[in-house]
């Protein structure tokens, strides 16, 4: 934790450089065992991919190196992670997140995701985006097949 300032300052430097190059003010540094694994910046302006947030790109790149589980990794981000990025961090096992600018600080600049957080806190049926569940019985069989394959794979690799 003594290096939090160093890595967070690096994420802020990446954000400043990205703005100077025409991008959005977001940078991220992914660290494991006090070693930088990946640095990334928001690249929506280049790719037109709305998921190309700095944190998402860092996770994608680190996963290519370290595998889908990123346990023990810390992400340092210039801005408060949006719900998409935070969800991805949970899904891949990121151990800790440290960020520089809060949603409140970003709000006057149109750089806050607080409204999305508020929507996601509502019950699914109360959210502004209509989400419809149309169940399919076949999915249970597909899930069972997946689970059986996972068990078999664990046996085959001796990871039971």
């Amino acid at each position: 934790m003594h290096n939090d300032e160093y890595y967070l300052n690096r994420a802020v430097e990446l954000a400043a450089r990205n703005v100077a190059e025409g991008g959005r003010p977001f940078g991220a540094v992914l660290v494991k065992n006090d070693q930088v694994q990946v640095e990334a910046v928001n690249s929506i302006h280049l790719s037109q991919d709305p998921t190309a947030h700095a944190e998402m790109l860092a996770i994608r790149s680190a996963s290519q190196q370290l595998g889908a589980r990123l346990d023990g990794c810390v992400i340092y981000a210039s801005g408060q992670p949006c719900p998409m990025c935070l969800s991805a961090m949970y899904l891949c096992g990121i151990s800790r997140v440290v960020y520089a600018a809060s949603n409140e600080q970003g709000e006057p600049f149109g750089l806050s995701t607080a409204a999305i957080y508020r929507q996601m806190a509502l019950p699914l049926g109360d959210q502004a985006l209509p989400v419809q569940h149309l169940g399919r019985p076949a999915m249970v069989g597909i899930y069972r097949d997946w689970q059986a394959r996972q068990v078999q794979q664990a046996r085959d690799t001796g990871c039971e």
Side-chain angles (χ1 to χ4, degrees), residues 53-86:
H53 293 197
E55 300 94 328
M56 293 295 290
L57 296 175
I59 288 169
R60 290 175 189 154
S61 181
S63 295
Q64 294 298 308
Q65 299 170 36
L66 305 171
R69 293 297 305 169
L70 298 177
D71 301 295
C73 292
V74 178
I75 288 186
Y76 296 88
S78 60
Q80 183 172 342
C82 74
M84 174 185 65
C85 293
L86 189 61

Side-chain angles (χ1 to χ4, degrees), residues 89-150:
M89 292 175 200
Y90 274 106
L91 287 169
C92 70
I94 293 291
S95 296
R96 198 161 62 92
V97 182
V98 180
Y99 64 92
S102 68
N103 271 327
E104 293 76 21
Q105 291 170 304
E107 182 73 37
F109 307 98
L111 297 170
S112 172
T113 57
I116 299 170
Y117 272 108
R118 285 191 297 274
Q119 278 295 305
M120 298 203 62
L122 296 172
L124 200 56
D126 294 341
Q127 294 180 18
L129 177 65
V131 178
Q132 181 181 7
H133 174 234
L134 209 55
R136 290 290 170 256
M139 287 308 301
V140 173
I142 293 168
Y143 282 3
R144 278 193 192 113
D145 182 35
W146 174 83
Q147 185 179 45
R149 291 172 188 269
Q150 298 304 304

